[in-house]
Amino acid sequence: MPILRRQKRSETFRVRLTDAEHGALLSLSRRTGIARSRLARKALRELVTGNVDLLQHEQQAVLELARQMRLIGNNLNQIARQLNRGDGASATLAESVELLRERLIECEYAWRRQVAAARARTVPEYGRG
C-alpha cells in the first residue's frame, strides 16, 4: 500500500529516544520550523519509499523550475520554427540556443541544490544510516 500524504491520520506510534536524540529532534524542529511529528513522517516516507520527501518550500521551488523548463521548451520551439523557415537568422538563433543551454544548466544546478538540501537534513550526531 503506497504511503500518501493526504490520508487521514488515525494511528499513533510512540518511540523512545535518548536525551541526545530528543535534543537533536527538538533542535532540528526549531531550526527548520517543522513539527516533530512532520519530521518523523518525513523520515519514515523517505526510508520506506527511498525517495526524497520534499517540504512545502522545496515543492514550490521544484514547480518553479518546471515552469522555467516549460518556458525554455517554448523558446526552443520558436527557434526551431525560425530555422525551418530558413530566413537567415542563424547567428542570432545560435546565440539564443547558447543562452537557453546556459539557462538549462542553471535549472539543473538549482534542482540538484534542492534535492541535496532535502537529503542533507539529518540529525547531526547520527547522519543517514
Side-chain angles (χ1 to χ4, degrees):
M1 180 162 135
I3 298 178
L4 303 176
R5 296 179 115 195
R6 300 286 179 201
Q7 288 180 332
K8 182 180 178 197
R9 295 183 185 106
S10 61
E11 299 298 322
T12 302
F13 177 73
R14 291 182 55 109
V15 61
R16 293 185 186 273
L17 303 172
T18 65
D19 287 341
E21 290 168 335
H22 187 252
L25 180 61
L26 287 174
S27 174
L28 183 62
S29 179
R30 283 189 206 109
R31 192 172 70 245
T32 61
I34 302 166
R36 291 173 297 165
S37 59
R38 169 64 176 100
L39 289 170
R41 285 189 303 274
K42 177 182 177 1
L44 177 65
R45 276 192 207 94
E46 289 182 354
L47 283 170
V48 170
T49 65
N51 296 321
V52 175
D53 182 28
L54 298 175
L55 301 172
Q56 178 106 17
H57 70 279
E58 294 165 334
Q59 291 173 12
Q60 291 169 347
V62 169
L63 290 174
E64 174 59 21
L65 284 171
R67 186 184 76 78
Q68 292 289 330
M69 298 297 284
R70 281 192 304 277
L71 293 174
I72 290 169
N74 289 341
N75 288 340
L76 286 172
N77 284 337
Q78 292 171 7
I79 290 169
R81 276 190 217 108
Q82 285 186 348
L83 285 173
N84 287 334
R85 273 189 246 140
D87 59 9
S90 61
T92 304
L93 290 175
E95 291 171 11
S96 296
V97 168
E98 181 58 25
L99 288 172
L100 288 172
R101 188 187 71 73
E102 290 170 8
R103 185 65 183 129
L104 279 170
I105 290 170
E106 290 171 15
C107 287
E108 178 188 1
Y109 287 141
W111 165 250
R112 289 178 187 271
R113 282 191 304 273
Q114 286 296 322
V115 171
R119 287 190 171 146
R121 280 189 306 271
T122 63
V123 178
E125 303 91 274
Y126 302 98
R128 288 214 180 259

